[in-house]
Amino acid sequence: MISWLILLLLIGLAACRDSKDGFDEFLSIKPLQDGRVDTAFNFTISDQDISPHSHLFPLPLVNLLTSPELDIDELHLSLSAGRWDYDKWHYPTFPQLGSSGAEVWVSHKSDRSQEKWNRVVHRISGLFCASLSTSDNTNHLLLDDKTWTYAQISSQLPCTENLTPFIALLPCKSAAGLGQLLNPHKIFDADYHSLALSMFNQGSGARLEIKVEAVFNPARVDQQRQYSTKAMFDRTVKQKCELADSSMVYFGLPPPPGEELNQDVWVVLPEDHEGEVKDGTIELDLMTTSKQLGLALIWPFQETFIYPRYTTKPPIQIRRDQIAGPVEETFTMKITIENTQDEDAQVSYLQSIPWQVKPWLHTFRIYGDSSSDSTSFKHNQAKADKEPYSLQVNTTLAPHSETIIECIYQRQFLKYTDYAPDIHRGIDIPPGFIRFEADNMTKVAYTTPMLVDLATPDFSMPYNVIIITSTVVALFFGSVYNILVRDFQLIPKKESKSD
Ligand SMILES: *[C@@H]1O[C@H](CO)[C@@H](O)[C@H](O)[C@H]1NC(C)=O
Ligand SMILES: *[C@@H]1O[C@H](CO)[C@@H](O)[C@H](O)[C@H]1NC(C)=O
Ligand SMILES: *[C@@H]1O[C@H](CO)[C@@H](O)[C@H](O)[C@H]1NC(C)=O
């Protein structure tokens, strides 16, 4: 009898384990050519059947994904600060990152609507302590296919309290596994950092990816290129996360030292690490290792790190410049896309421009080396008042060529009430980006955000006038009124009572 019970119990346990919940995590650390270090965390939770009783899938996101009024099919959120330097760092480990500010992409199962978008934005703003709701109605962009909506807010930078909700979604929080390395003091001190989340609805199940990417600069403090996991995160992985199916560290190694350039010799410490070296990367499985994580890369013959004078360029580069003129209220936006490869490249460029700035479409032109018959573009003029304008260009770049997209924009005169607070700072034009295929992957490269001065009235003037007028009136009126209504009376001199 008891053996039957045990058997049933075992079968039950096996069935529980079989529900195909999965949690995988990895950390990739790669040296960059200018002495910086790219670190990228990827935490993936998948669940075949999401319900409020899900084992690993975080409850707040279950509610978000199963809510019929939000109707989410896919959602991407990223919060980034700093500038990703494509010239020296090439592309980020995670293709969608590299922007500055906040970015939200939402796709619905059925058609989108303003109401759904507002609800989604408010819910995720609350969940991730980010003020995304400034994108309520004037900032977001509707993409061509009926379901996608996206918004960029380049002034919304992440800060320490944004990391906490991301850590709270991890099954082991920051108590075990790679989550222990998410040290806000270090990550927010990095040259570039980005927190991102992607959710995919998959039938009755769902998949969640939490990504954190940061670029550290070990040479900043003591001109030493050497770095270690311990120094970068100021923490170590003390114990593995028992809920994880896999927990990997990919520790990238620099190219092997040249025979003659003796100073480029590097060494990995500790020498008896338990990782496996594959294609210039140490792969360390934290589920089987017996030691705490502590890998270091040192250059023993290098006294101080000298920044390289030449760096290799990424295959495709993009730059966006603002040129004043030709008239005072206008400026020219010039987007340069460069292909440094030996092959053609098919790219697709997208940018959105806030409604406060208006394009002069007759000045729009694309020139350069790419053939014009492979180029198509589309302006999405605002249909309603205060909708952003968007530009989409698809083109094929010839090998070793430069393509330029140029247009003149006019800064609009706005109604008094349409000016945002602190308008003297200018308005932000979110980064534009290109998408292209490289190494069988879709890559994205962003431009930097742009700040445009608007023609702003001097908002303090009315107050100055009111204050001065009030003062003058108060002084004048006060004394005149005083004189007019003062009642003068003769007071008879009193007889002295002494006699
Ligand atoms: C993150 O890891 C998961 C599982 O290992 C993988 O399927 C996914 O492609 C990774 N995401 C990225 C952006 O590399
Ligand atoms: C550019 O390409 C994308 C995807 O390949 C497509 O969805 C879009 O409609 C194209 N845009 C133009 C203007 O041709
Ligand atoms: C890309 O995919 C093609 C075909 O699928 C394959 O032949 C090629 O080797 C892949 N290239 C890389 C860099 O993985």
Side-chain angles (χ1 to χ4, degrees):
M1 184 64 195
I2 284 174
S3 62
W4 272 110
L5 267 179
I6 290 173
L7 194 70
L8 275 179
L9 208 76
L10 281 179
I11 291 173
L13 272 180
C16 272
R17 287 244 56 133
D18 208 31
S19 67
K20 296 242 178 53
D21 285 5
F23 172 52
D24 298 280
E25 53 179 15
F26 77 69
L27 162 64
S28 136
I29 301 174
K30 273 190 301 201
L32 301 170
Q33 41 180 344
D34 64 345
R36 289 180 173 79
V37 187
D38 177 24
T39 58
F41 293 86
N42 174 2
F43 303 91
T44 312
I45 303 175
S46 47
D47 198 331
Q48 299 303 93
D49 184 24
I50 49 167
S51 72
H53 310 294
S54 279
H55 173 49
L56 293 171
F57 215 86
L59 185 60
L61 299 186
V62 171
N63 293 340
L64 209 66
L65 276 175
T66 50
S67 153
E69 49 184 39
L70 301 180
D71 184 37
I72 296 176
D73 187 37
E74 211 175 304
L75 182 143
H76 301 274
L77 163 76
S78 71
L79 296 166
S80 326
R83 182 173 76 92
W84 184 274
D85 192 344
Y86 289 92
D87 275 6
K88 294 183 191 128
W89 308 345
H90 295 196
Y91 307 108
T93 306
F94 302 125
Q96 311 88 328
L97 305 188
S99 178
S100 307
E103 200 175 80
V104 187
W105 292 79
V106 181
S107 148
H108 299 289
K109 287 177 212 149
S110 54
D111 283 2
R112 64 189 162 209
S113 72
Q114 180 72 43
E115 252 166 83
K116 282 184 195 168
W117 168 256
N118 287 353
R119 284 201 197 108
V120 171
V121 164
H122 283 118
R123 289 282 283 273
I124 54 178
S125 302
L127 264 177
F128 297 103
C129 309
S131 32
L132 304 170
S133 44
T134 46
S135 70
D136 267 357
N137 38 36
T138 57
N139 268 354
H140 68 272
L141 204 68
L142 309 174
L143 298 184
D144 285 343
D145 50 2
K146 306 230 172 329
T147 62
W148 280 100
T149 311
Y150 108 106
Q152 287 172 306
I153 307 146
S154 38
S155 54
Q156 171 67 41
L157 301 180
C159 48
T160 339
E161 76 253 26
N162 292 123
L163 186 61
T164 318
F166 280 88
I167 292 176
L169 299 176
L170 302 177
C172 292
K173 315 280 185 263
S174 58
L178 289 174
Q180 286 173 95
L181 297 180
L182 294 175
N183 179 356
H185 294 291
K186 289 291 180 182
I187 287 177
F188 291 104
D189 188 36
D191 283 11
Y192 177 87
H193 50 267
S194 185
L195 314 174
L197 169 129
S198 303
M199 276 196 295
F200 307 87
N201 228 325
Q202 299 173 322
S204 60
R207 190 156 60 90
L208 167 70
E209 285 180 11
I210 294 170
K211 289 164 279 189
V212 178
E213 185 151 2
V215 175
F216 290 95
N217 187 359
R220 187 177 72 185
V221 181
D222 49 6
Q223 274 104 54
Q224 294 287 311
R225 190 177 186 184
Q226 61 201 36
Y227 58 89
S228 66
T229 52
K230 193 101 191 239
M232 276 191 293
F233 302 109
D234 197 19
R235 288 187 187 168
T236 171
V237 180
K238 295 207 186 79
Q239 54 195 4
K240 62 184 181 200
C241 174
E242 297 290 350
L243 296 169
D245 295 318
S246 72
S247 178
M248 297 294 292
V249 174
Y250 301 106
F251 193 79
L253 302 174
E259 277 87 10
E260 286 170 30
L261 295 165
N262 212 24
Q263 62 270 58
D264 269 343
V265 168
W266 47 262
V267 181
V268 176
L269 293 179
E271 270 163 3
D272 59 340
H273 62 77
E274 292 168 65
E276 220 182 303
V277 184
K278 262 188 210 162
D279 304 335
T281 305
I282 297 179
E283 297 188 8
L284 188 66
D285 189 348
L286 294 184
M287 302 308 278
T288 58
T289 173
S290 55
K291 287 192 219 136
Q292 290 190 354
L293 174 69
L295 283 171
L297 195 60
I298 61 167
W299 279 258
F301 302 112
Q302 210 173 51
E303 271 171 26
T304 53
F305 173 61
I306 298 156
Y307 287 90
R309 200 170 302 163
Y310 303 104
T311 49
T312 63
K313 295 259 152 73
I316 292 177
Q317 285 180 78
I318 182 161
R319 195 173 70 238
R320 188 171 70 174
D321 304 304
Q322 178 183 356
I323 301 160
V327 218
E328 199 179 347
E329 72 265 26
T330 62
F331 65 92
T332 308
M333 195 188 282
K334 182 174 167 191
I335 300 144
T336 314
I337 308 173
E338 198 183 330
N339 181 10
T340 58
Q341 305 175 100
D342 297 329
E343 303 132 43
D344 282 356
Q346 179 85 42
V347 300
S348 167
Y349 177 75
L350 181 69
Q351 74 172 0
S352 78
I353 305 281
W355 63 275
Q356 289 97 332
V357 174
K358 224 191 179 86
W360 284 0
L361 291 186
H362 63 279
T363 62
F364 177 83
R365 64 195 189 114
I366 302 178
Y367 60 96
D369 309 321
S370 69
S371 62
S372 55
D373 51 316
S374 69
T375 303
S376 65
F377 57 87
K378 189 170 164 207
H379 302 282
N380 250 330
Q381 277 287 46
K383 286 166 207 81
D385 204 17
K386 299 185 195 167
E387 257 186 21
Y389 147 81
S390 74
L391 167 69
Q392 201 174 13
V393 179
N394 291 354
T395 183
T396 307
L397 307 175
H400 301 283
S401 70
E402 222 176 52
T403 303
I404 293 157
I405 307 170
E406 220 176 57
C407 188
I408 295 178
Y409 291 82
Q410 180 183 4
R411 310 172 169 112
Q412 303 233 60
F413 289 102
L414 309 184
K415 288 186 193 139
Y416 180 71
T417 46
D418 282 340
Y419 287 98
D422 191 22
I423 195 69
H424 287 285
R425 190 184 149 261
I427 57 161
D428 290 291
I429 297 196
F433 59 89
I434 43 170
R435 264 169 200 278
F436 54 93
E437 299 283 325
D439 305 336
N440 289 354
M441 288 232 298
T442 304
K443 304 248 163 148
V444 182
Y446 286 86
T447 68
T448 46
M450 191 183 269
L451 203 57
V452 172
D453 277 333
L454 282 189
T456 41
D458 181 359
F459 285 107
S460 66
M461 207 58 219
Y463 303 103
N464 296 346
V465 171
I466 290 170
I467 288 166
I468 290 192
T469 329
S470 314
T471 315
V472 169
V473 166
L475 281 175
F476 178 74
F477 180 79
S479 38
V480 170
Y481 183 78
N482 195 359
I483 292 166
L484 284 181
V485 301
R486 184 169 282 179
D487 197 10
F488 293 97
Q489 277 186 2
L490 281 175
I491 304 170
K493 200 173 178 188
K494 279 191 190 134
E495 297 283 319
S496 82
K497 281 182 188 160
S498 57
D499 39 72

